[in-house]
Amino acid sequence: MKKCLSIVLPAALLLFTGCIDADSNYAVRSVTLDNYFLYLNIGQKAALAATVLPSNANNRTVSWSSSDDRIVKVDAYGRVTAVASGTAIVTASAGKLSDYCDVWVSQPVRGISVSRMSLELIVGENAPLVATVSPSNADDKTVVWSSSNSRIATVNASGRITAVALGEATITATAGAYGATCQVEVVMQDIPMVAIAGGVTEINGTMVSMSSFKIGKYEVTQSQWKKVMGNTSPSAFKGNNLPVESVNFTDIQRFLARLNQQTKANYRLPTEVEWEYAAKGGQDTHNYQYSGSNNVDDVAWYQQNGGAAGPQIVGTKAPNELGIYDMSGNVFEWCSDRFSDIYPSGTTDPTGPDPDPDDTSLETDQMIRGGCWQYTGPVCAISVPARYYVPSNTRENYLGFRVAHSL
């Protein structure tokens, strides 16, 4: 629309005649959005604002539109709603001008779960874990696996766990900001044995000869006890990889009988002489004060470093010269012998005295060796004066055992 004027200028007696284009003077010159990129999750909302210039333009009304309403919707006020995964362009128009905002919509991870919350494995065994990411249409369902202690258990990129050593580890599956865990405990199923070549050794001041034999690499654990005796442990301190304790001499004989029935072997308790010979390192002995070291802290759990915590997982201290663990400390270990002050010099494979046929009591004084978590370091020594005995019916939380086998 044009408005025409006639202006008379008296002073100069001039007449001005002209026309002004009102539509041109008040037309929209620019439309500008406050955001050119939006990243939203499905269901998320955001508000866009459009600035129209000039401020006195005739028609500053903004119309909004989406290039794909299936992905992004926008209302008459510039409020954007993310509907589905994908990209869309939101347009703000005023007059003949427009501005644009690119909107990316994704479906985030809302949770993750794993197929097992706990798992018990044997050293060397492996097992798969399956992770489920929700929702099923999440854009990035990548799962990252990790282990809290790869020395105990490892996990690969597909969730397969491998048991490496005795102990516990937490396996975590992570997707987005969410995680799920599985507690893994690695235990021993079989009883590892160490073969020891015979030789000559001194015990309690006398020299005796030893035949070759085998002895347990570790103290018998609660998981091994439960496998043989049923799914219960008599121990005061519970833990599959802790040494079984609170067992008396008769309890152990029942265990050995069942173990031999199951394995068709001939496991037994070591004699005191076998025990000490193995603790010293057999023919490889370095004549240490403790089994494997002159420093008790290197090889033993005892009062000053284990204290009120009780017995510890077997095999967590250094081994002795033969690769045998915990012969100093952790728990005292039953021997097959009754107490004897002295063994005859020059004998081979000596044992303690035979039961007295006139003694009708059910108790005998049985040898125990090695010291334990409850006592001081000197008690963990492997020779005189660290020889002890207790009544055969004694059950204490510091008394355990390891097995032996003749060759």
Side-chain angles (χ1 to χ4, degrees):
M1 178 183 72
K2 293 184 179 180
K3 295 182 180 179
C4 297
L5 306 175
S6 292
I7 301 175
V8 178
L9 303 176
L13 298 177
L14 295 174
L15 176 65
F16 171 78
T17 301
C19 295
I20 300 174
D21 190 339
D23 287 342
S24 176
N25 287 347
Y26 296 96
V28 172
R29 300 292 176 83
S30 68
V31 178
T32 305
L33 289 175
D34 63 341
N35 209 328
Y36 293 111
F37 303 98
L38 282 179
Y39 299 90
L40 302 177
N41 294 328
I42 291 177
Q44 196 171 2
K45 299 177 184 293
L48 288 174
T51 301
V52 179
L53 294 177
S55 59
N56 61 343
N58 285 335
N59 185 2
R60 301 178 68 243
T61 301
V62 177
S63 61
W64 298 88
S65 63
S66 170
S67 64
D68 194 337
D69 285 337
R70 296 170 301 175
I71 296 174
V72 173
K73 290 184 178 181
V74 61
D75 66 13
Y77 303 98
R79 291 177 296 213
V80 177
T81 301
V83 178
S85 297
T87 59
I89 298 172
V90 172
T91 302
S93 301
K96 298 179 180 180
L97 301 180
S98 302
D99 202 7
Y100 310 94
C101 176
D102 292 322
V103 182
W104 282 266
V105 180
S106 61
Q107 174 61 276
V109 172
R110 301 292 186 187
I112 184 173
S113 62
V114 290
S115 53
R116 297 283 297 272
M117 296 182 65
S118 63
L119 192 60
E120 183 179 296
L121 297 175
I122 299 164
V123 174
E125 191 177 16
N126 60 71
L129 269 185
V130 178
T132 302
V133 178
S134 60
S136 59
N137 63 337
D139 287 315
D140 186 359
K141 297 172 68 177
T142 302
V143 176
V144 177
W145 296 90
S146 63
S147 170
S148 65
N149 191 341
S150 58
R151 294 173 300 175
I152 303 297
T154 61
V155 61
N156 67 13
S158 61
R160 180 165 288 276
I161 301 167
T162 300
V164 179
L166 298 181
E168 298 179 358
T170 301
I171 303 300
T172 302
T174 303
Y178 296 87
T181 60
C182 174
Q183 302 300 319
V184 176
E185 185 172 23
V186 182
V187 301
M188 285 186 297
Q189 183 178 37
D190 299 323
I191 300 180
M193 305 292 285
V194 175
I196 301 175
V200 177
T201 187
E202 178 185 348
I203 181 167
N204 202 20
T206 61
M207 301 300 294
V208 297
S209 297
M210 298 296 306
S211 299
S212 299
F213 65 100
K214 288 184 178 181
I215 196 166
K217 187 174 185 176
Y218 306 99
E219 294 160 331
V220 172
T221 66
Q222 293 178 39
S223 67
Q224 292 166 336
W225 178 276
K226 290 189 291 185
K227 181 188 175 187
V228 174
M229 303 298 286
N231 197 30
T232 58
S233 168
S235 302
F237 296 91
K238 303 297 185 185
N240 280 336
N241 292 318
L242 297 179
V244 66
E245 28 86 0
S246 301
V247 288
N248 66 24
F249 190 79
T250 302
D251 297 331
I252 295 169
Q253 299 311 309
R254 293 192 185 103
F255 170 86
L256 291 170
R258 289 195 187 181
L259 176 64
N260 290 333
Q261 183 179 30
Q262 293 171 9
T263 61
K264 309 302 180 185
N266 190 25
Y267 291 102
R268 55 178 174 80
L269 283 174
T271 66
E272 185 191 14
V273 176
E274 286 175 332
W275 189 96
E276 186 170 311
Y277 184 63
K280 288 178 178 178
Q283 294 184 7
D284 298 325
T285 184
H286 294 168
N287 294 309
Y288 292 128
Q289 181 180 2
Y290 305 98
S291 184
S293 177
N294 286 323
N295 183 351
V296 64
D297 284 293
D298 290 344
V299 293
W301 292 109
Y302 68 110
Q303 187 182 73
Q304 278 66 43
N305 67 7
Q312 303 294 308
I313 292 174
V314 302
T316 51
K317 288 291 187 178
N320 74 354
E321 298 92 319
L322 295 172
I324 306 171
Y325 292 84
D326 299 312
M327 296 202 81
S328 288
N330 216 12
V331 290
F332 269 111
E333 300 178 16
W334 288 97
C335 297
S336 64
D337 305 275
R338 298 176 68 213
F339 172 71
S340 174
D341 281 325
I342 192 167
Y343 292 97
S345 181
T347 56
T348 299
D349 300 330
T351 60
D354 293 329
D356 183 351
D358 296 326
D359 185 356
T360 59
S361 71
L362 297 178
E363 294 182 18
T364 57
D365 290 331
Q366 296 292 144
M367 295 302 303
I368 59 172
R369 298 297 301 270
C372 70
W373 61 271
Q374 202 175 60
Y375 285 76
T376 58
V379 178
C380 300
I382 54 175
S383 58
V384 176
R387 298 179 70 230
Y388 302 92
Y389 61 88
V390 294
S392 60
N393 64 351
T394 303
R395 291 188 181 98
E396 294 288 351
N397 59 15
Y398 56 78
L399 265 175
F401 70 103
R402 75 180 68 228
V403 298
H405 196 298
S406 300
L407 288 177

